[in-house]
């Protein structure tokens, strides 16, 4: 086929990311939508719970934040440190093999910090065992987990307790299974993932590559490496294991990988979007030029500190950012124009924010800074 233009890459990515006019239909109606969304996306960034909830909600038109929160309480998806040392939403049955496959590097990278904190391998082992005992058949808040670890003779002051909890999650011992107000609630992963998948390594690499290319493609190899945190050799092995479902394509930005079935499908209609800061439209790629369309990345990630601002997206391109303030019955949104939009484009952005306000059950009030 002919080389894909940047516009075609952008359109295919929107469809892959479930951010087009048929997104609700693509996932199917009815119960289980949150589970299907997370599985279809492979994993969804979730260090900020409110952003993760809207990342799911924007792909399921008509659901509310309460619907998504209830689905997470039912463990349709769980939050855990599955890759890159960062919290993600993942399907429960896949959490075990994903953490095993992708956490060797993050755990090794955290070793120096644990040494600075005075945490030994023996401390980690005692912490893990304390969590296994305290969480056996029950759930505890983060504070309750730290109390259990301390009772086992391991100090949790400073960041020590946090590092033990994260390492236990990266080792596949625990996961976040809910919220109690602002506090995370932990459970044993084996208690939540009652029917875990256990693919062999080659199969797991192939599954990971397939899910990523299907949910993000077209992508470059380094996009896959950046998303998974795996070395390129593992990513290439995964692409090979994916078989004919993943194909190489030429684009004006260089060679990429695409989901074969998506190339032959009709392009769904685009929609104007108000996305949360950590949505995969940007975060899911090493090279974000197609979606930024000339907007400096520093306008969305000021300081390059990994904290992404919420974005306004027209025709698949970022045109602005926004931040919210919750009121009793309204959500105040301060919008920032990054491209010098006209009145009509700004009105489109304002309408794009209405589904978010409905998701929260509040009235939108938009102002431009």
């Amino acid at each position: 086929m002919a080389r894909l233009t940047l516009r075609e890459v952008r359109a295919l990515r929107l469809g892959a990311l479930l951010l087009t006019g048929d997104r609700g239909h693509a996932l199917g109606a009815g119960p289980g939508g949150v589970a299907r969304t997370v599985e279809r996306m492979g994993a969804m960034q979730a260090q900020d719970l409110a952003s993760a909830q809207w990342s799911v909600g924007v792909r399921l038109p008509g659901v509310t934040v309460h619907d998504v929160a209830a689905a997470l309480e039912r463990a349709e998806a769980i939050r855990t440190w599955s890759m890159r040392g960062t919290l993600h939403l993942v399907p429960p049955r896949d959490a075990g093999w994903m953490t095993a496959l992708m956490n060797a590097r993050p755990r090794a990278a955290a070793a120096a910090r644990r040494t600075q904190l005075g945490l030994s391998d023996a401390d980690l082992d005692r912490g893990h065992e304390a969590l296994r005992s305290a969480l056996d058949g029950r759930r505890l808040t983060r504070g309750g987990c730290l109390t259990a670890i301390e009772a086992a003779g391991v100090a949790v002051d400073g960041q020590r307790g946090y590092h033990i909890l994260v390492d236990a999650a990266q080792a596949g011992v625990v996961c976040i299974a809910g919220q109690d107000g602002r506090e995370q609630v932990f459970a044993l992963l084996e208690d939540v993932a009652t029917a875990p998948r256990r693919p062999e390594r080659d199969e797991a690499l192939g599954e990971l590559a397939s899910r990523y290319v299907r949910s993000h493609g077209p992508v470059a190899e380094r996009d896959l490496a950046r998303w998974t945190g795996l070395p390129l050799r593992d990513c290439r092995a995964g692409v090979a294991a994916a078989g004919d479902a993943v194909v190489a394509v030429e684009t004006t930005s260089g060679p990429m990988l695409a989901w074969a079935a998506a190339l032959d499908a009709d392009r769904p209609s685009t929609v104007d979007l108000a996305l949360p800061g950590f949505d995969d439209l940007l975060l899911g790629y090493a090279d974000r030029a197609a979606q930024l369309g000339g907007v400096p990345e520093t306008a969305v990630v000021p300081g390059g500190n990994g904290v992404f601002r919420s974005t306004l997206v027209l025709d698949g391109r970022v045109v602005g950012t926004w931040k919210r303030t919750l009121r009793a019955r309204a959500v105040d949104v301060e919008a920032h124009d990054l491209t010098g939009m006209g009145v009509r484009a700004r009105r489109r952005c304002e309408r794009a924010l209405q589904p978010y306000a409905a998701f929260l059950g509040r009235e939108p009030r938009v102002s431009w800074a």
Side-chain angles (χ1 to χ4, degrees):
M1 62 178 296
R3 285 198 309 170
L4 296 174
T5 66
L6 201 60
R7 182 175 181 178
E8 289 171 324
V9 168
R10 192 160 49 235
L12 284 164
R13 285 180 175 179
L14 285 173
L17 289 162
L18 302 171
L19 292 174
T20 54
D22 70 343
R23 57 199 188 279
H25 172 73
L27 291 166
V34 171
R36 288 191 295 274
T37 301
V38 173
E39 183 163 7
R40 174 67 168 72
M41 291 293 291
M44 302 178 74
Q45 196 99 358
Q47 71 266 52
D48 179 76
L49 180 59
S51 293
Q53 289 171 332
W54 178 229
S55 271
V56 173
V58 73
R59 292 167 170 82
L60 290 170
V63 304
T64 68
V65 65
H66 302 294
D67 297 329
V68 176
L72 297 182
E73 290 292 331
R74 295 192 299 269
E76 286 192 23
I78 57 175
R79 291 170 76 204
T80 194
W81 287 264
S82 57
M83 52 213 254
R84 303 196 315 274
T86 304
L87 273 171
H88 285 77
L89 287 175
V90 296
R93 67 177 189 152
D94 295 319
W97 69 261
M98 292 178 78
T99 54
L101 182 66
M102 291 182 283
N103 272 322
R105 279 182 164 185
R107 292 183 77 190
R113 179 58 181 151
R114 290 196 296 268
T115 299
Q116 291 175 353
L117 293 171
L119 277 173
S120 66
D121 290 343
D123 290 330
L124 290 180
D125 290 342
R126 284 201 303 275
H128 291 192
E129 287 306 312
L131 290 169
R132 286 190 179 95
S133 177
L135 292 171
D136 186 16
R138 59 189 295 220
R139 300 183 179 191
L140 289 174
T141 63
R142 175 171 166 169
C145 289
L146 296 181
T147 297
I149 294 169
E150 195 165 35
V154 182
V156 296
D157 55 303
Q159 293 186 337
R160 290 167 57 93
Y162 168 79
H163 277 266
I164 294 170
L165 275 171
V166 172
D167 188 75
Q170 291 176 328
V173 177
V174 302
C175 65
I176 298 174
Q179 287 287 127
D180 183 359
R182 293 188 176 184
E183 197 168 12
Q184 297 163 344
V185 174
F186 286 81
L188 291 179
L189 179 59
E190 64 187 31
D191 287 345
V192 178
T194 54
R197 294 184 62 215
R198 294 186 175 91
E200 296 296 327
R201 180 176 173 81
D202 287 348
E203 182 187 354
L205 287 170
E207 181 75 14
L208 199 64
S210 295
R211 289 193 189 185
Y212 177 69
V213 175
R214 185 185 182 192
S215 61
H216 292 73
V219 295
E221 282 185 341
R222 68 189 188 100
D223 292 320
L224 175 57
R226 189 260 169 211
W227 188 74
T228 61
L230 293 172
L232 274 172
R233 65 177 180 276
D234 285 344
C235 294
R236 288 167 179 158
V239 171
D244 295 339
V246 173
V247 296
V249 294
E250 286 297 324
T251 79
T252 53
S253 298
M256 291 190 182
L257 303 166
W259 190 247
L263 295 174
D264 298 328
D266 293 334
R267 302 289 185 268
S269 59
T270 60
V271 290
D272 302 333
L273 299 161
L275 298 178
F278 295 101
D279 193 85
D280 264 32
L281 179 77
L282 289 181
L283 199 62
Y285 303 88
D287 183 354
R288 298 152 182 149
Q291 295 87 289
L292 287 170
V295 169
E297 189 164 325
T298 52
V300 180
V301 197
N305 57 5
V307 179
F308 284 65
R309 290 177 173 171
S310 301
T311 54
L312 298 166
V313 180
L314 302 183
D315 303 317
R317 294 176 58 184
V318 173
V319 296
T321 60
W322 59 281
K323 59 181 180 180
R324 70 168 198 181
T325 301
L326 294 182
R327 307 298 183 190
R329 296 182 180 179
V331 53
D332 290 343
V333 175
E334 182 180 282
H336 297 254
D337 184 345
L338 299 180
T339 60
M341 287 180 280
V343 173
R344 183 175 297 179
R346 286 192 174 195
R347 294 294 175 265
R348 288 172 63 186
C349 291
E350 291 168 13
R351 287 192 294 271
L353 284 157
Q354 291 174 359
Y356 175 66
F359 177 73
L360 297 178
R362 288 171 162 86
E363 291 295 320
R365 299 190 302 209
V366 183
S367 61
W368 288 89

